[in-house]
Amino acid sequence: MAQELAIQLKNLSKQYKHITAVNDLSLTVNTGEIFGFLGPNGAGKSTTIRMMLSLITPTKGDVIIFGKQLAKERNAILANIGCIIEKPDFYLYLSAKKNLELFARMNGLRPSASKLEEMFDLVGLAGRSSDSVKTYSHGMKQRLGLAQALIHEPALIVLDEPTTGLDPQGIIDLRNLILRLKNEFGKTIVLSSHILSEMELIADSMVIINKGKAVVQGKVAELLSNEDLIVRFEVSDTERAKSEIGFSQWNTFFRNDENGRLFMQISKDEIPLLNSFLVEKGVSVSGITYQRSLEDYFLKLTHQV
Amino acid sequence: MLLQSTVRKPLVLLLFVLFYSTTYAQTAKQIIAAVTKKFGLVNDYSAVINMQFDIPSVNLQKIDGKVFYKKPNKFRIKTQGIVFLPKQNPYFAITALSDSNSYTAILSGEEKINNSTTTIINVIPNSEGDLILGKFWIDKKNAVVLKSQWTTKSNGTIQIENFFGTNMAYALPDKMLFTVDVTKFKVPKAVAVDINSKSSPKSSNASGVKGTGKITLNFSQYTVNKKLPDAVFDETKN
Amino acid sequence: MKALFQMTPIELFKITTKPRSYIGFLAITVIVLLIEFAFYIDGKTYLQFIMQTLEQSFTIQGNILNGNLICFIILQMLIVQMPLMVALVTGDLISGEAAGGTIRLLLTKPVSHANILMAKYLAGSIYTFLLILWLGVLALGGGYLVFGHGDLMVLKSEELVILRDGDILWRFLGAFVIAFLSLNVIATFSLMLSCFTDNSIGPIITSMSVIILFTIIGTIDIPFFDQLKPFLFTTHMIIWRNLFDNPLPKSQIITSITVLVGHIILFLSIAFYHFTRKDIQN
């Protein structure tokens, strides 16, 4: 059975005087999935997301959300969307609770005190709801932004660059919350980011856009599984590891070493193989991490490498 | 003889003129005496008053009030609002005339006012004071002043016209019309703050000839000689 | 319509939470109390100065220094300041949201742009109304309390109009209504400017500059400027004074009210046109 579409963008374009911000972009987002919207700064992500939320009027094309045309049924569509656009800005002179209440009322709700506290619990701001937003850190505002996006229990959540400015723990917390929203509450989530590895960890599908056009679109697992990663091996003896690699077929994948770490360019499948090889050669491996570079991936996609 | 006759003629003429004027001067004072005597019948009175104003550059709506008078010179107009009154009370003149030694009165002819023949008497104070000249138009038959005109040092010329009706017996008019010299009113723009206004007076009340203001007092419901207490003249009490 | 009822109290609440919203109330309180205090101490001297030419010819009897006169003088003095107080709040209604970034959240709520703008206009109008009401309470109520009732002596550069006490209250009510309309022109003007920019200083300064410019044009007696005057809204903003003329210049008042309402509609229409088509890019 075909999955129901949450979002359809049809030939969407936005033309400013001399700049084409979005150029004939078409994509689909399935309900219940986490969809990654990727691209370098200035690629047109933000413009596209804003067009999806009626903040920017498209020059051409259609935005269809849950089967309804945004241009015709804006309010009905927006009632079912929660979002954070760019940075989470609030009325600084009000408390977090009052802010949340105001935005809920703009959605036509009158949330009870317990409902508000429940939201603060969900986003990890319990006990801070009465504080003025002025005293909030960026991370706390981001959490409040999420609470604001969720208070009216929308089916679609749009988060524009949600990890910007967050500390590592904040990023992990946000990632877990997003996964929870999808898995427990069945929400459809659209995320935009310029960090590919971030998407790889949570997104089900993604689109990469550049210069307002879709470069690639599909399931994350299919798009990225065979792509080379930069894998970092934390080893007990760097010199020995380098020498063993230098005399093996792995030599061509060696990139560099730094402070007891080896950086190898291999695919995800090859990680356990290289790990076994090093262990067999008596080099103990204490940690393996990997990252993808969107820039490299772009270059590859556009055949410039 | 010729000389005698030529000298005698002017002498007789002079004596005649002197005799004539003295005779008529006494008559003028007599006329005035009749007027003051008649007015002297009034010890006090109160009346309902309606005042109307026609003063250049002053737009003042008419107002009702009460008026009180008590011999010799107590006068008060009591209203709920702002009124412009002549500097002198309306009986200032008649009170001043009660002392017949303080002025010289000269008959100056006759004039018809509202179908009544009036005798014109000019009054010149004997001693120097604020008053320079007074002129009365007196209805001898009724012993009332129909019109008077006063020239003072401090307030220019004031003219009072009296219109009598039901209270002729007490020489109390139903209507008094004051005509007063007025300096044109001007407020500095900074105080007025009507920056965009056109500088032409618009109201009908202010359309009178510039330089003279008119105040009309209409009297009704006179109550005469009922022993008014002095307290009603206390300006500090409402 | 439901959305409008839903949004207007929210917008009004936002106004009440901003410190700048109280500047107007504070300024009115200080100015009114100061004027009342000054007149209480030395009002008679001030009036003697004005009345001296007339007092040469007349004895002026009655309570000249009364609540009605005080209120009238206060209205005259505050008419210059109140547009600033209003623009300070209404010039920030849209641009403040843009500057603070909250416009992004605001415009992604299921309320149309038109309703949001209308709610902001209504909230700004209610604020303006409250400002006028406060002025009325302080100036007229305070005036009556301290100086009592009495006929109103309206000071004009060429004429002195004295209105009877019983004939004044309706004129003040009318004056407050016209003052409200005038300030509403400022409110819509600054709200309109507020739609075009992302900072609130711009609309406030521009509103004030326009008022100052128009007032200067209105004051200078040059034939060319005279032709312009009927088209300047500032010319019609002081029409409240005409309510204190006797007889009432009805056609002039109706013309001015029409011009003021026309300006409100014009400025609102421009604001609607721009705001409903505005792309939010910040």
Side-chain angles (χ1 to χ4, degrees):
Chain A
M1 195 178 103
Q3 219 170 352
E4 199 189 327
L5 291 177
I7 302 172
Q8 276 179 280
L9 303 186
K10 287 184 176 173
N11 309 103
L12 205 60
S13 296
K14 182 67 187 177
Q15 179 77 40
Y16 294 109
K17 272 178 192 167
H18 306 293
I19 301 160
T20 307
V22 175
N23 188 2
D24 203 29
L25 180 69
S26 296
L27 61 85
T28 54
V29 177
N30 294 321
T31 49
E33 73 172 359
I34 299 176
F35 185 87
F37 215 93
L38 272 139
N41 292 331
K45 304 189 293 291
S46 203
T47 306
T48 308
I49 283 183
R50 282 167 194 243
M51 285 196 281
M52 281 162 51
L53 296 167
S54 84
L55 288 173
I56 290 177
T57 314
T59 314
K60 208 184 81 187
D62 282 326
V63 176
I64 298 163
I65 294 175
F66 298 125
K68 291 171 181 160
Q69 249 187 316
L70 184 66
K72 288 178 183 164
E73 295 179 79
R74 175 187 177 272
N75 291 353
I77 290 171
L78 290 179
N80 218 2
I81 300 179
C83 61
I84 308 178
I85 312 297
E86 234 171 80
K87 52 189 197 323
D89 286 313
F90 291 94
Y91 301 109
L92 297 179
Y93 41 85
L94 297 179
S95 70
K97 195 190 235 171
K98 202 74 217 178
N99 264 290
L100 193 54
E101 193 192 327
L102 272 191
F103 283 111
R105 283 175 61 188
M106 290 178 202
N107 278 299
L109 304 174
R110 282 192 176 270
S112 63
S114 61
K115 173 74 182 174
L116 291 171
E117 287 308 326
E118 186 190 310
M119 294 312 299
F120 280 104
D121 275 348
L122 180 72
V123 297
L125 283 175
R128 297 298 302 271
S129 61
S130 302
D131 294 0
S132 162
V133 174
K134 225 184 295 182
T135 64
Y136 269 32
S137 67
H138 179 81
M140 290 166 80
K141 282 187 204 164
Q142 197 69 271
R143 286 165 194 265
L144 180 60
L146 271 172
Q148 170 278 136
L150 299 172
I151 183 106
H152 54 294
E153 299 179 359
L156 172 63
I157 297 159
V158 180
L159 306 172
D160 186 15
E161 306 270 3
T163 55
T164 309
L166 290 186
D167 59 22
Q169 187 56 47
I171 293 173
I172 292 166
D173 288 348
L174 180 68
R175 193 185 299 147
N176 290 337
L177 181 62
I178 290 169
L179 287 169
R180 207 177 140 204
L181 287 172
K182 176 202 159 194
N183 298 329
E184 282 183 36
F185 301 100
K187 310 281 186 195
T188 306
I189 297 155
V190 173
L191 289 170
S192 81
S193 179
H194 58 275
I195 303 164
L196 185 57
S197 55
E198 205 174 76
M199 282 298 161
E200 194 184 356
L201 289 172
I202 50 171
D204 301 307
S205 306
M206 67 174 189
V207 64
I208 296 177
I209 65 167
N210 191 30
K211 292 177 185 167
K213 281 194 155 194
V215 180
V216 68
Q217 185 182 351
K219 293 281 176 199
V220 173
E222 290 163 13
L223 291 173
L224 297 179
S225 62
N226 294 320
E227 295 304 325
D228 289 352
L229 306 172
I230 303 293
V231 184
R232 187 177 73 183
F233 287 82
E234 289 184 32
V235 292
S236 54
D237 186 341
T238 321
E239 288 310 312
R240 185 162 172 201
K242 270 168 72 180
S243 137
E244 292 295 342
I245 284 170
F247 292 109
S248 71
Q249 81 275 20
W250 296 106
N251 187 36
T252 50
F253 304 110
F254 176 75
R255 283 289 166 269
N256 65 328
D257 71 294
E258 194 185 295
N259 303 329
R261 291 160 185 163
L262 292 179
F263 291 89
M264 305 293 293
Q265 187 173 2
I266 53 175
S267 72
K268 219 172 179 178
D269 303 337
E270 289 165 329
I271 295 172
L273 299 175
L274 179 57
N275 185 34
S276 303
F277 171 77
L278 288 170
V279 173
E280 270 171 28
K281 297 294 175 188
V283 178
S284 56
V285 178
S286 56
I288 304 170
T289 49
Y290 66 87
Q291 62 182 52
R292 281 185 211 274
S293 154
L294 187 61
E295 288 73 23
D296 290 348
Y297 189 63
F298 269 140
L299 292 173
K300 194 162 262 178
L301 287 171
T302 49
H303 307 291
Q304 286 173 358
V305 171
Chain B
M1 275 304 277
L2 189 66
L3 181 73
Q4 272 186 332
S5 81
T6 49
V7 171
R8 200 179 296 144
K9 264 186 182 173
L11 194 70
V12 169
L13 197 66
L14 183 69
L15 284 170
F16 175 78
V17 168
L18 276 171
F19 171 79
Y20 185 85
S21 66
T22 314
T23 311
Y24 270 83
Q26 280 172 341
T27 311
K29 286 211 173 178
Q30 278 168 359
I31 295 167
I32 289 170
V35 169
T36 52
K37 189 185 168 194
K38 185 167 187 180
F39 186 69
L41 296 172
V42 179
N43 290 318
D44 62 66
Y45 78 79
S46 69
V48 170
I49 193 171
N50 169 272
M51 303 178 75
Q52 286 171 16
F53 308 87
D54 186 359
I55 303 167
S57 301
V58 176
N59 182 341
L60 185 56
Q61 291 166 296
K62 62 183 179 186
I63 192 167
D64 294 326
K66 284 203 90 175
V67 61
F68 305 96
Y69 168 80
K70 192 170 187 178
K71 250 182 183 174
N73 208 13
K74 282 186 176 154
F75 183 78
R76 186 186 177 192
I77 288 176
K78 204 168 142 185
T79 57
Q80 286 296 317
I82 297 169
V83 284
F84 280 41
L85 300 173
K87 282 278 188 183
Q88 280 82 15
N89 81 52
Y91 308 114
F92 157 79
I94 229 160
T95 313
L97 294 178
S98 57
D99 179 6
S100 59
N101 296 320
S102 64
Y103 58 88
T104 305
I106 304 161
L107 279 172
S108 309
E110 289 186 341
E111 191 179 315
K112 256 197 180 295
I113 296 177
N114 298 333
N115 298 326
S116 299
T117 307
T118 62
T119 308
I120 303 168
I121 300 173
N122 280 312
V123 171
I124 303 158
N126 292 335
S127 57
E128 200 172 307
D130 190 37
L131 185 66
I132 300 166
L133 178 71
K135 192 174 179 185
F136 290 83
W137 285 256
I138 293 171
D139 175 358
K140 278 195 287 185
K141 199 176 109 192
N142 292 308
V144 289
V145 179
L146 289 191
K147 185 167 149 186
S148 60
Q149 192 174 293
W150 293 88
T151 306
T152 61
K153 281 181 188 166
S154 54
N155 300 309
T157 303
I158 302 167
Q159 184 180 289
I160 305 170
E161 289 170 67
N162 293 316
F163 300 86
F164 293 92
T166 50
N167 288 284
M168 181 67 97
Y170 286 111
L172 294 173
D174 287 354
K175 179 176 155 186
M176 271 187 185
L177 173 62
F178 286 78
T179 308
V180 186
D181 279 351
V182 182
T183 319
K184 198 188 166 199
F185 178 74
K186 184 109 182 147
V187 169
K189 268 202 171 186
V191 178
V193 205
D194 53 347
I195 43 174
N196 277 5
S197 74
K198 295 274 177 291
S199 57
S200 59
K202 291 157 266 199
S203 76
S204 56
N205 280 4
S207 61
V209 181
K210 271 196 189 101
T212 54
K214 285 190 167 75
I215 300 172
T216 310
L217 310 182
N218 293 300
F219 297 83
S220 59
Q221 299 174 38
Y222 274 110
T223 313
V224 184
N225 295 340
K226 297 284 180 195
K227 293 194 174 148
L228 267 183
D230 286 342
V232 297
F233 298 97
D234 186 352
E235 300 278 346
T236 58
K237 287 177 188 160
N238 227 337
Chain C
M1 206 63 185
K2 191 185 160 204
L4 195 60
F5 282 119
Q6 172 191 314
M7 287 303 290
T8 308
I10 293 174
E11 290 303 329
L12 199 58
F13 173 75
K14 284 191 222 167
I15 290 177
T16 63
T17 57
K18 286 182 199 166
R20 71 169 66 199
S21 307
Y22 296 95
I23 294 174
F25 286 96
L26 189 72
I28 287 175
T29 310
V30 170
I31 294 168
V32 169
L33 293 183
L34 203 67
I35 294 170
E36 288 180 348
F37 177 73
F39 271 88
Y40 186 74
I41 297 294
D42 215 13
K44 287 205 163 74
T45 318
Y46 170 80
L47 289 172
Q48 269 166 10
F49 164 69
I50 297 162
M51 303 303 292
Q52 59 192 3
T53 48
L54 279 168
E55 283 192 323
Q56 286 168 7
S57 310
F58 299 100
T59 300
I60 298 166
Q61 183 183 297
N63 178 21
I64 294 174
L65 186 60
N66 57 55
N68 288 321
L69 179 70
I70 294 297
C71 184
F72 187 80
I73 290 172
I74 288 168
L75 270 184
Q76 280 195 153
M77 290 183 173
L78 274 180
I79 205 78
V80 188
Q81 277 84 13
M82 284 192 72
L84 175 64
M85 298 170 194
V86 170
L88 207 57
V89 171
T90 51
D92 185 53
L93 286 175
I94 301 285
S95 55
E97 301 264 10
T102 45
I103 198 157
R104 294 190 299 268
L105 286 183
L106 182 65
L107 295 184
T108 49
K109 297 297 161 194
V111 183
S112 69
H113 289 208
N115 270 335
I116 288 173
L117 188 70
M118 198 60 197
K120 283 188 177 290
Y121 165 69
L122 287 177
S125 297
I126 293 170
Y127 173 80
T128 309
F129 173 77
L130 291 175
L131 213 55
I132 294 272
L133 188 69
W134 181 237
L135 175 70
V137 167
L138 273 189
L140 202 56
Y144 284 155
L145 204 68
V146 179
F147 300 93
H149 278 265
D151 292 351
L152 173 62
M153 199 176 69
V154 182
L155 305 168
K156 297 185 165 195
S157 51
E158 297 282 335
E159 192 185 17
L160 187 75
V161 180
I162 291 158
L163 300 166
R164 298 299 172 207
D165 190 23
D167 188 34
I168 293 170
L169 193 62
W170 70 271
R171 292 176 195 265
F172 271 122
L173 291 177
F176 285 126
V177 169
I178 293 177
F180 169 75
L181 274 181
S182 306
L183 291 177
N184 210 274
V185 172
I186 304 298
T188 44
F189 183 62
S190 54
L191 180 69
M192 177 193 80
L193 294 175
S194 183
C195 293
F196 286 88
T197 172
D198 290 347
N199 73 77
S200 29
I201 302 297
I204 296 165
I205 300 284
T206 312
S207 301
M208 285 319 293
S209 305
V210 168
I211 293 166
I212 292 167
L213 178 74
F214 282 9
T215 307
I216 290 170
I217 294 173
T219 316
I220 300 171
D221 288 329
I222 295 175
F224 174 71
F225 285 166
D226 282 345
Q227 289 172 350
L228 290 178
K229 281 174 196 174
F231 303 100
L232 308 177
F233 61 81
T234 46
T235 308
H236 304 276
M237 280 174 66
I238 53 165
I239 204 72
W240 68 269
R241 285 182 57 102
N242 290 29
L243 274 163
F244 295 89
D245 274 350
N246 190 29
L248 204 64
K250 279 183 197 156
S251 67
Q252 203 180 343
I253 291 172
I254 290 168
T255 305
S256 287
I257 288 177
T258 312
V259 171
L260 290 175
V261 172
H263 273 90
I264 292 171
I265 293 168
L266 174 73
F267 294 148
L268 267 184
S269 305
I270 295 171
F272 271 104
Y273 183 83
H274 182 74
F275 188 65
T276 49
R277 286 162 181 77
K278 186 180 181 173
D279 286 342
I280 307 299
Q281 289 168 307
N282 66 328

